[in-house]
Amino acid sequence: MRKETRSPKRRSSVAEADGAELVFVVDVSSLTKKGFVGTTTYKGKQVALDFDDGGEGIFLTPEMAGRLRVRKGSTLSVIMENDRTLVTKAPVGGVGKAIRISDPKIYYAVGREGGAIVRIRKG
């Protein structure tokens, strides 16, 4: 008698899960002419996030955009947590090498407190 074998259930990766999000614990580290730079870690490496109030959207790396399954023009939900929680929507301004957040609500919420936990999700 032949034993039937089943392949093990495959788990969805973070990129395939509907609840995929990017989480950054941001500390304002320096001021620039147009805004400020926040430092955080992503995948074990320290990265800089440029913040300004230009309203151009959120610029992600190709890996981050793929993880969220978004592209230029997609809408993102951004949750900022510090002393209080603020939720806003922002478009993907572009996909490239640098990470930049160009949105007045996010800029002032993070800058006012000198940092925040920033969660970015699709939609």
Side-chain angles (χ1 to χ4, degrees), residues 22-33:
L22 301 172
V23 180
F24 301 108
V25 179
V26 179
D27 291 317
V28 174
S29 58
S30 63
L31 299 176
T32 66
K33 289 182 180 182

Side-chain angles (χ1 to χ4, degrees), residues 56-96:
E56 297 174 16
I58 298 176
F59 295 79
L60 302 169
T61 65
E63 189 275 331
M64 291 174 182
R67 181 174 178 181
L68 295 175
R69 293 183 158 188
V70 296
R71 59 180 166 218
K72 185 175 179 178
S74 299
T75 301
L76 298 171
S77 293
V78 182
I79 303 157
M80 284 110 0
E81 301 170 358
N82 42 34
D83 286 345
R84 52 185 190 214
T85 300
L86 175 68
V87 180
T88 190
K89 301 257 185 202
V92 175
V95 177

Side-chain angles (χ1 to χ4, degrees), residues 102-113:
S102 178
D103 181 87
K105 287 183 182 179
I106 300 168
Y107 173 80
Y108 291 110
V110 175
R112 177 178 46 244
E113 299 296 325

